[in-house]
Amino acid sequence: MVKSNKLDIKTITVIQITIATVISLIFQFLIPFSWQPLDTFLYGIRQHGDPGTNIIIFTISQWYFSFSIAWLIFRDNPYINNFLIYSIVPLGIIVFYELFFLHLYYDYIHITPIFIDIYLIWKKRKTLSQKFAFYIILINISWLFSVYFLKLAYYSEELPIYIRNIFIYVVLWIILSFLFRAERNNGSIT
């Protein structure tokens, strides 16, 4: 774990982004596609670049996973923590579906960030703030639509269903953001 008194938050953030990028690149270029548990469970063993497969580095799930590993080196980064906390919405829905409908219990790509999110709410709640919500939701929406229309990820989903899912995410993200709203208490913000 990085000592926060030795590095400023910007440097720590750059280090964590670099680590997440390296992890995502490793999953894209070195680790076989069959290490993607949900895709392998649903479609069987496939290779990177096979028709209909996501380009792993463009999936938001991969980045949530990569940032959840990078999070381990410094757990008080409000930028990374606020990005990760919003993963609880789409990944929570995916994990619920995997556990109760598919009986897929080993999807570490989607489960790892969920555990980090639970920890953030439980132990690092003071690093979470509603002021980040607008930017993170905007980034997530832009990302999801960009990769869909550029046919980099998720494009095998029918557009109306994809738009419905993103609408559900946005509503839940907005509701989630109110859990981290600063409250005024006797003139001070707590």
Side-chain angles (χ1 to χ4, degrees):
M1 192 152 94
V2 174
K3 297 281 186 187
S4 62
N5 57 355
K6 293 182 181 180
L7 300 172
D8 70 345
I9 195 68
K10 290 179 184 177
T11 304
I12 291 169
T13 302
V14 168
I15 291 169
Q16 287 180 294
I17 290 171
T18 302
I19 291 169
T21 302
V22 168
I23 292 168
S24 293
L25 287 168
I26 288 169
F27 270 82
Q28 178 62 49
F29 296 110
L30 298 178
I31 294 181
F33 191 81
S34 61
W35 282 34
Q36 297 295 316
L38 181 58
D39 287 308
T40 301
F41 183 85
L42 292 175
Y43 307 112
I45 303 283
R46 300 194 323 181
Q47 304 298 319
H48 290 287
D50 281 354
T53 59
N54 293 323
I55 299 174
I56 296 304
I57 202 160
F58 291 107
T59 64
I60 201 165
S61 298
Q62 177 61 50
W63 284 95
Y64 285 142
F65 172 77
S66 297
F67 274 108
S68 68
I69 300 304
W71 173 86
L72 294 171
I73 67 158
F74 184 72
R75 297 176 182 143
D76 291 320
N77 185 335
Y79 304 115
I80 302 301
N81 291 0
N82 280 280
F83 175 72
L84 281 174
I85 197 62
Y86 289 91
S87 72
I88 201 167
V89 169
L91 300 186
I93 292 169
I94 291 169
V95 168
F96 179 83
Y97 177 71
E98 289 176 339
L99 294 177
F100 295 103
F101 293 95
L102 299 178
H103 305 289
L104 174 63
Y105 305 110
Y106 56 89
D107 188 354
Y108 63 94
I109 296 287
H110 295 116
I111 293 173
T112 303
I114 296 287
F115 285 131
I116 301 298
D117 292 337
I118 292 167
Y119 183 81
L120 289 173
I121 292 170
W122 182 35
K123 294 285 190 177
K124 299 293 181 180
R125 192 179 183 111
K126 62 186 164 201
T127 66
L128 305 174
S129 173
Q130 188 181 35
K131 71 180 182 180
F132 292 102
F134 173 78
Y135 304 104
I136 292 168
I137 293 170
L138 184 63
I139 288 168
N140 287 349
I141 292 169
S142 300
W143 185 329
L144 290 169
F145 277 117
S146 296
V147 299
Y148 182 87
F149 287 114
L150 293 172
K151 296 193 181 300
L152 301 171
Y154 314 122
Y155 60 91
S156 60
E157 188 71 59
E158 293 180 29
L159 184 59
I161 293 170
Y162 193 72
I163 291 171
R164 180 208 60 200
N165 291 346
I166 292 175
F167 178 76
I168 291 168
Y169 297 162
V170 169
V171 169
L172 293 175
W173 282 329
I174 291 168
I175 293 168
L176 179 65
S177 77
F178 283 95
L179 293 177
F180 314 118
R181 196 170 92 186
E183 296 178 28
R184 296 201 179 268
N185 186 9
N186 297 330
S188 64
I189 296 177
T190 58

